[in-house]
């Protein structure tokens, strides 16, 4: 995350209801982090050589450019109502939405966007823009989805990878700023478990295995409370597939934080399978934090 004091929280808008939910989430997060908020709209029409001005004889307030200006103005007003006194600016940037937000991520503290936009199909659980931005952004990406539960803890996925270490630090910082506990969760499978049926070995000691996984999780989190001394940390090791375990746990969380790619995922993927699974199935907002390249 860009730690510069003037680095803004950036929210992408397109006039949809998911985008307005993202605006409210972004405004609250910017206020908590004492950062300015930038409302950005990716204006793709100039790239398609579509006329932007009102058609001849049409009312002067028409046209695509004017429509974009109105939706940015409405989003800024929504942010001002959410966080009065917050420093807020709005801008229309020519370009495709995902490309514009990825470009913004090089100087942003955080990118926030909705899980679906106006161009998304209603049957899709998450839009392609959210997946693309989460995969390529240079700063953490917060996707507004599911329910808002301000009294519930922040949940962090931990697997011992560098990506999960960075994500855990972001989660701890977020939990402290929100005044809630942090739950660090590690999902594990039994040794030898594989295949669609996830068959278990005939002989194993569940209590011993669980204790080993808890000790491993505690070791991975060594130093976290030193870096974030006021965080209220709980560690949980849970047997099961990581995506399923975290999606179930998201029902009682206000935010799930996951690394862009974790241990055991295919090298070369910009966005790991666990991150993608949560973007599709989590029941609360999801933050994807990629380790520095």
């Amino acid at each position: 995350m860009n730690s510069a004091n003037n680095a803004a929280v950036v929210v992408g808008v397109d006039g949809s209801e998911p985008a307005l939910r993202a605006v409210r989430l972004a405004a609250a997060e910017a206020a908590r982090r004492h950062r300015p908020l930038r409302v950005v709209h990716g204006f793709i029409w100039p790239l398609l050589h579509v006329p932007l001005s009102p058609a001849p004889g049409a009312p002067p307030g028409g046209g695509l450019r004017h429509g974009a200006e109105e939706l940015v103005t409405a989003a800024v007003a929504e942010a001002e109502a959410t966080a009065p006194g917050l420093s807020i600016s709005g801008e229309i940037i020519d370009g495709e939405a995902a490309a514009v937000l990825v470009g913004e991520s090089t100087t942003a503290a955080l990118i926030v966007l909705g899980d679906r936009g106006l161009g998304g199909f209603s049957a899709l659980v998450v839009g392609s823009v959210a997946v693309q931005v989460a995969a390529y952004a240079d700063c953490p990406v917060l996707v507004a989805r599911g329910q808002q539960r301000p009294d519930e803890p922040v949940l962090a996925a931990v697997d011992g990878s560098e990506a999960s270490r960075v994500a855990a630090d972001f989660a701890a910082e977020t939990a402290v700023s929100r005044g809630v506990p942090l739950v660090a969760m590690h999902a594990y499978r039994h040794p030898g478990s594989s295949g669609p049926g996830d068959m278990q070995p005939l002989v194993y000691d569940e209590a011993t295995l669980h204790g080993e996984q808890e000790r491993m999780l505690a070791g991975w989190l060594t130093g976290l409370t030193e870096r974030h001394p006021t965080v209220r940390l709980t560690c949980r090791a849970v047997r099961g597939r990581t995506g399923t375990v975290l999606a179930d746990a998201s029902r009682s969380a206000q935010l799930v934080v996951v690394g862009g790619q974790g241990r055991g995922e295919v090298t070369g993927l910009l966005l790991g399978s666990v991150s993608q699974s949560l973007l599709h199935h989590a029941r609360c907002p999801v933050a994807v934090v990629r380790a520095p390249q």
Side-chain angles (χ1 to χ4, degrees):
M1 182 172 66
N2 192 328
S3 59
N5 291 333
N6 61 344
V9 171
V10 175
V11 58
V13 298
D14 62 3
S16 65
E17 179 53 37
L20 286 179
R21 289 200 299 270
V23 166
R24 294 189 287 270
L25 183 61
E29 194 64 24
R32 279 189 291 261
R33 294 175 180 270
H34 306 289
R35 293 184 178 275
L37 177 67
R38 238 170 91 72
V39 177
V40 170
H41 172 64
F43 192 56
I44 195 172
W45 300 112
L47 278 64
L48 303 179
H49 307 290
V50 174
L52 307 181
S53 301
L64 293 171
R65 176 73 67 176
H66 181 74
E69 292 170 349
E70 286 191 326
L71 74 87
V72 169
T73 298
V76 169
E78 188 78 16
E80 290 173 339
T82 301
L86 183 66
S87 174
I88 305 170
S89 61
E91 186 174 358
I92 298 170
I93 301 176
D94 290 353
E96 187 272 332
V100 166
L101 291 173
V102 170
E104 289 287 311
S105 74
T106 60
T107 56
L110 177 70
I111 297 288
V112 186
L113 69 165
D115 57 347
R116 287 191 306 273
L118 290 175
F121 295 95
S122 59
L124 292 179
V125 182
V126 67
S128 62
V129 172
V131 173
Q132 291 177 58
V133 176
Y136 289 97
D138 288 330
C139 70
V141 175
L142 176 56
V143 178
R145 57 170 291 109
Q147 295 183 20
Q148 302 296 316
R149 305 183 187 92
D151 296 326
E152 297 295 339
V154 170
L155 175 66
V158 179
D159 65 5
S161 66
E162 175 62 15
S164 81
R165 186 194 69 78
V166 174
D169 275 324
F170 176 88
E173 178 186 353
T174 303
V176 170
S177 72
R178 296 185 179 193
V180 297
L182 170 64
V183 176
M185 182 169 287
H186 165 55
Y188 65 93
R189 313 265 296 280
H190 285 94
S193 300
S194 62
D198 197 18
M199 296 182 65
Q200 308 300 335
L202 294 178
V203 179
Y204 62 86
D205 186 326
E206 173 64 34
T208 298
L209 178 60
H210 183 78
E212 291 173 349
Q213 296 297 319
E214 286 189 325
R215 287 189 291 274
M216 188 181 299
L217 174 58
W220 289 335
L221 293 170
T222 299
L224 182 71
T225 53
E226 295 177 3
R227 296 189 297 273
H228 307 277
T230 59
V231 70
R232 291 176 282 158
L233 176 64
T234 299
C235 298
R236 290 182 59 196
V238 180
R239 181 169 64 87
R241 295 176 181 272
T242 305
T244 302
V245 165
L246 292 170
D248 288 345
S250 73
R251 299 172 184 269
S252 56
Q254 66 168 274
L255 173 69
V256 177
V257 183
V258 63
Q261 185 184 66
R263 187 185 298 274
E265 298 192 296
V266 179
T267 302
L269 290 178
L270 286 168
L271 189 62
S273 59
V274 173
S275 304
Q276 292 211 42
S277 176
L278 285 171
L279 286 176
H280 284 82
H281 300 297
R283 300 303 183 92
C284 66
V286 176
V288 178
V289 184
R290 296 176 61 218
Q293 302 298 308

